[in-house]
Amino acid sequence: MELPFSESYKIKMIEQLKRSTREQREEWIKEAQYNLFKLSSDKVFIDLLTDSGTGAMSDRQWAAIMTGDESYAGARSFFELKSTVQKIMGFEYMLPTHQGRAAENVLFSVLIKEGDIVPGNSHFDTTKGHIEFRKAKAVDCTIDEAFDTTLDHPFKGNIDIEKLEKVYKEYPREKIPCCVVTVTCNSSGGQPVSIANLREVSQLSKKYGVPVLFDSARFSENAYFLKMREPEFKNWTIKEIVREMYKYADMATMSSKKDGLVNIGGFIGLHSEEIYRQACTFNIMFEGYITYGGMSGRDMAALAVGLDESTEFEYLETRIKQIEYLGNKLIEYGVPIQYPIGGHAIFVDANKILPNVPKEQFRAQTLGVELYIEGGIRGVEIGAILADRDPVTRENRFPKLELLRLAIPRRVYTNNHMDYIAAALKNVFDRRHQIKSGLEITWEAPIMRHFTVEMKKA
Ligand code: F0G
């Protein structure tokens, strides 16, 4: 008999989960004004709100915590982290920050000014936020294939080279501070970017003198997909593939809360001494001294180990196979999800499940609330609530896709939990025709409303 696949680790510490009844959950979600962010975590059985900072550290990482050097300047833990980043990504200069958006804030303070244009592949919300906050504009150059959830394409995170060149031709070089490539691309569904594409982006950007910046939050998951899908890399180690990827990056921002396998942290990676010097000043102002930048010594020590572990094939295989396991179960049940299955989450297509709910009543949020009531599972809406209102007309924006994201924390849940999630979603799917109305907003903040929005049943 062929031996089945099994996880590449065993469990040393557990955390008790709290079960609840459907009646309790109906009450709690009403009290939370139908906003999943407002639920306290003890009211959630399986938490898929995000894969950011929610992972489990290894025994090696916890051991490293005890060795953390908490010196204000020149901590040994900083040098351990710096040499790990250099070894894995090849950057000479590294500045720690407290998380990914802080790295964006520091680096963009050097790079971006009013009126600038920043092309890329579906910039993440905070990245776009930091660009727009500086009165610059993010231009999405992702390939068109990425926006059809049913289309099979191995690299839906790829940049459309023609779209990118159009931007380079349209604006003068001094208006384009960088091109942001997000690996894997969260906003297009955790989809990878191929090396062939990175090479083309790098070549074209060099021609026009524009530096390439990798938003690196899920860089090792990207490398795993390259090994599996780009024949050139079939026999390479993940660390070799990562080094190859980063040959095409001039700089990087990192949210260590994802592929750094830690609960908090971030950094900036650079080759340019000039940009590093300028960024140091902003790091000191916003984050902390240049050798800790908002992180404790012990957290830097754990991150150095986390980066090493997340670039090992065994870890990544277990990780990605778990997402595929859940995705394939849902496909088997007929639940419409974004295809192919991405790196860190399953994206459920709410437009296809709840067409009877008027789009003005927020289909993906309605589906998220139903899934919570069904099984105590918390996902996150990636749809009209997140898309917010048009800044000029103040009308609701209705994006093409209404998705419920189920993000899987790293090394936290077992495949029994995946079976539970799939069954709960199947139950909601089976009674979809009975769900005819959604939610109405009773209060919202002027921007970033999804975090604090208050709603009632329509
Ligand atoms: N870039 C990407 C691609 C991200 O997914 C995130 C965060 C950030 C940058 C910002 O990093 O949270 O450390 O400040 N994504 C989380 C998510 C919040 O749920 O997808 P951060």
Side-chain angles (χ1 to χ4, degrees), residues 350-351 354-359 361-368 402:
N351 278 337
L354 299 178
N356 297 331
V357 173
K359 71 175 191 319
Q361 293 178 11
F362 308 110
R363 288 170 181 158
Q365 183 70 15
T366 304
L367 184 65
E402 273 284 320

Side-chain angles (χ1 to χ4, degrees), residues 49-52 99-102 104 124 126-127 182 184 186 215 217-218 255-258 265 344 405:
L49 189 72
T50 180
D51 64 321
S52 181
Q99 60 184 80
R101 66 200 71 183
E104 291 162 1
F124 182 67
T126 60
T127 320
T182 306
T184 57
N186 186 2
D215 175 346
R218 300 178 182 83
S255 167
S256 307
K257 301 169 74 174
K258 286 93 173 168
H344 67 290
R405 185 183 79 169

